[in-house]
Amino acid sequence: MGKHLAEPDEQQPRAPIWRTKVALSAVLMLVVIVATVFGFRWLITDQPATQDSTFAVDNTDPEPFDDTSEEATDTTDEPSGAVTIIHVAGEVHEPGIVELSGDIRVVDALEAAGGPTDQAQLDALNLAAVANDGDYILVPDRETAQDFNAVDASAEPGVGGESTGTVDINTADSAALETLPGVGPATAADIIAHREQHGAFTDLADLEAVSGIGPATRERLDGLVEW
């Protein structure tokens, strides 16, 4: 009997331990809830500040780049230079008017006119000379270059890239006619004989009726003769 009555007295202290565990669990849950609430509120209140600072940077950066692009566009639109117009005649493959830009030399004008022919006497020209707007460049053949060397330099049209004047084919004598490109002593005599027999020349095309003068020679004489 005494043993059975003592057992209930040994089990009674366990009841307060369970109550303590329940109380501790409740406190921990309360701490977790409070921490979660404060953490959530911190995230909500800090997020707008980060977005505002980002927007401020985005709003100020694009303006300087736009100004630079406009300045670059204005610089690109500026004209690169004036066009130089030159008349190239004589022994070139495509005689006539050429248009070039920049710093032009005589050799550049010749290349723009198709380049010199096999009959061109390039030694009679200064290929490195500067060509200006409105210049007349005559490329002589070998026969014409020899005729130029036999005449006073002041009366030589076309040598050095410019013409000093024109020759009146209706009044010029043999010496004056021989200063023209492609016109030697024989051709000069034929021109004089033709105008004495048929009258004065009225245009450049009439010269083709003279023996020894064809379309190529007539083209070289364009701008060098008058009537």
Side-chain angles (χ1 to χ4, degrees):
M1 287 291 292
K3 185 177 181 180
H4 290 289
L5 292 174
E7 292 179 357
D9 294 335
E10 295 177 356
Q11 295 178 352
Q12 288 178 356
R14 296 181 180 178
I17 295 176
W18 287 105
R19 287 196 298 269
T20 302
K21 290 183 178 180
V22 171
L24 290 175
S25 300
V27 171
L28 289 175
M29 291 180 62
L30 181 59
V31 171
V32 171
I33 293 173
V34 172
T36 303
V37 171
F38 276 101
F40 183 74
R41 291 184 61 185
W42 178 80
L43 292 175
I44 293 177
T45 54
D46 289 346
Q47 187 65 24
T50 303
Q51 292 180 350
D52 292 342
S53 61
T54 303
F55 291 154
V57 173
D58 292 339
N59 290 336
T60 56
D61 286 344
E63 294 181 358
F65 291 100
D66 292 341
D67 295 340
T68 304
S69 61
E70 291 178 359
E71 293 176 359
T73 303
D74 294 340
T75 304
T76 306
D77 293 338
E78 293 180 357
S80 58
V83 175
T84 302
I85 301 177
I86 303 172
H87 183 188
V88 182
E91 292 297 333
V92 289
H93 290 289
E94 300 176 5
I97 300 296
V98 297
E99 297 183 4
L100 301 169
S101 59
D103 296 332
I104 309 303
R105 304 284 178 171
V106 172
V107 64
D108 299 325
L110 267 59
E111 291 298 328
T117 65
D118 294 338
Q119 300 299 320
Q121 186 65 30
L122 298 181
D123 292 341
L125 300 175
N126 181 5
L127 300 179
V130 176
N132 300 310
D133 185 56
D135 278 355
Y136 177 83
I137 301 176
L138 175 64
V139 183
D141 56 17
R142 294 183 177 87
E143 180 181 355
T144 304
Q146 292 174 357
D147 293 339
F148 285 164
N149 292 332
V151 181
D152 188 284
S154 62
E156 295 178 4
V159 176
E162 296 183 359
S163 174
T164 58
T166 58
V167 176
D168 191 331
I169 57 178
N170 289 323
T171 60
D173 57 12
S174 179
L177 291 173
E178 289 177 20
T179 63
L180 296 172
V183 178
T187 303
D190 290 339
I191 292 175
I192 295 174
H194 184 277
R195 75 189 184 197
E196 290 177 351
Q197 296 177 5
H198 302 282
F201 296 98
T202 58
D203 56 37
L204 188 61
D206 291 346
L207 286 174
E208 292 189 25
V210 178
S211 176
I213 297 181
T217 302
R218 179 176 63 84
E219 180 68 25
R220 294 199 295 270
L221 294 177
D222 187 14
L224 299 178
V225 298
E226 60 183 6
W227 45 88

